[in-house]
Amino acid sequence: MSLIAFASPKGGVGKTTVAAHVAALLARRGHKVIALDLDPQNALRLHLGVSLREERCFLSRLGTRPAWREALVETESGVRILPYGPADPLRALELSQLLTNEPQHLAEAVREMLAMPDVIVVLDTPPGPNAALAALMPRLDLMVILLLADAGSAAIIPQVASNRVLGRGTLGARAADRAVLVLNQVDEHEPLSDAVFDMARNAMGSRMIGAICRDPALAEALADKRMLLDGEPGAGEDLELLADAIAKGLKLGRPGSGPSGGQGGGFSALSEWGSQ
Ligand SMILES: Nc1ncnc2c1ncn2[C@@H]1O[C@H](COP(=O)(O)OP(=O)(O)O)[C@@H](O)[C@H]1O
Ligand SMILES: [Mg+2]
């Protein structure tokens, strides 16, 4: 079992898009994937084709209805999702406070999910520091930090490379050996994008595990309630390579393909990322 978070100091960088695609690509390989939306934007369900009429949800009812099993929604992709659910700004703030004061509500639910054999839990998170991600940080096997290939993200790359974005102290240090970078919306025809790509590569080394090109097909697919899961040239191929890199880095193996399957959950040897 493995716990993977898609996170970023910034919003609008592709966390939800990439989390949904990686979850679906891992489900295609036969893994049991639960996608858990921790972002009050409640957008992950849209990518996974959940009906707007669907009322099952998880985090927005935390503290009142903690039964996560009843909130699981099956999707066509094979991923089972726990939608965030509806939350007005006040409720979202209350929840953030609840998660800060009593992180065990969420941590315990995720512990139960991870106790199921061969499960991969994929987290979509709100931008910046947030109580939900902090509650689960000690359990993370992998934190995929997303940034864009633009000037705003370039300013943050040094903080990601030095792990300052993960916080200080023992908690931050523990997360550091499992945090990797993915650069999104890379455009090879744009000099600035190229320069940010090179900067990220130099700063992160083998901890930069993927790059996804800017591809209008991703936004169009969302509008058409589709996903790019067939390795289509462009972002589809990049997402498939990313899912491969994550599976390899976590040693997920193919379900039912022998003793390596289900033995993941380790992210100790970051150097292994460099060999892909
Ligand atoms: N590689 C890409 N190429 C083109 N558009 C993208 C790409 N990745 C994400 N987008 C678009 O960027 C917007 C923000 O993506 P989203 O996944 O919602 O970001 P976040 O969850 O970080 O806020 C969406 O409209 C999405 O379709
Ligand atoms: Mg999002």
Side-chain angles (χ1 to χ4, degrees):
M1 64 262 174
S2 298
L3 181 60
I4 307 170
F6 289 83
S8 181
K10 293 174 77 82
V13 294
K15 294 181 296 297
T16 305
T17 306
V18 177
H21 279 82
V22 168
L25 287 163
L26 292 175
R28 269 205 173 186
R29 292 158 177 253
H31 295 289
K32 290 183 212 149
V33 182
I34 296 177
L36 169 52
D37 192 351
L38 302 178
D39 189 341
Q41 281 192 43
N42 195 20
L44 187 59
R45 68 202 171 118
L46 302 178
H47 290 259
L48 290 167
V50 174
S51 158
L52 288 175
R53 287 188 300 275
E54 177 58 62
E55 289 187 351
R56 280 171 289 179
C57 59
F58 177 61
L59 206 71
S60 65
R61 299 199 184 146
L62 195 72
T64 54
R65 280 184 43 183
W68 60 270
R69 280 188 183 83
E70 287 155 33
L72 280 174
V73 180
E74 308 267 345
T75 72
E76 239 175 67
S77 66
V79 175
R80 286 176 295 168
I81 178 174
L82 289 165
Y84 184 97
D88 59 35
L90 193 59
R91 176 67 184 145
L93 274 176
E94 278 171 14
L95 280 163
S96 178
Q97 208 128 45
L98 175 70
L99 286 165
T100 304
N101 296 334
E102 298 171 53
Q104 68 276 12
H105 285 300
L106 177 60
E108 180 59 19
V110 171
R111 193 192 63 73
E112 284 174 19
M113 291 173 211
L114 292 171
M116 303 194 313
D118 301 330
V119 154
I120 301 171
V121 179
V122 171
L123 307 174
D124 182 26
T125 70
N130 62 87
L133 182 57
L136 298 176
M137 197 94 122
R139 283 196 180 275
L140 282 185
D141 295 298
L142 179 62
M143 169 140 70
V144 180
I145 298 174
L146 276 132
L147 287 176
L148 296 181
D150 67 6
S153 286
I156 296 174
I157 289 171
Q159 293 172 41
V160 175
S162 67
N163 296 314
R164 277 203 302 278
V165 289
L166 302 174
R168 296 166 51 198
T170 305
L171 197 60
R174 179 154 150 57
D177 70 345
R178 44 203 76 189
V180 294
L181 177 71
V182 170
L183 212 56
N184 189 19
Q185 301 221 28
V186 175
D187 183 346
E188 60 178 340
H189 303 298
E190 211 183 78
L192 175 63
S193 174
D194 240 17
V196 177
F197 180 91
D198 289 343
M199 181 187 168
R201 197 81 195 174
N202 288 336
M204 297 298 292
S206 63
R207 294 173 65 205
M208 180 166 156
I209 63 157
I212 301 163
C213 69
R214 182 178 300 146
D215 186 348
L218 262 185
E220 284 160 16
L222 177 61
D224 291 347
K225 299 192 172 138
R226 286 184 298 111
M227 297 178 88
L228 304 186
L229 300 177
D230 295 316
E232 295 90 334
E237 183 180 22
D238 292 337
L239 286 160
E240 194 167 83
L241 289 170
L242 176 61
D244 283 346
I246 288 173
K248 188 175 169 214
L250 289 173
K251 302 190 186 74
L252 293 176
R254 292 255 172 188
S257 67
S260 73
Q263 298 291 312
F267 195 65
S268 49
L270 258 173
S271 58
E272 289 188 25
W273 290 98
S275 62
Q276 25 142 355

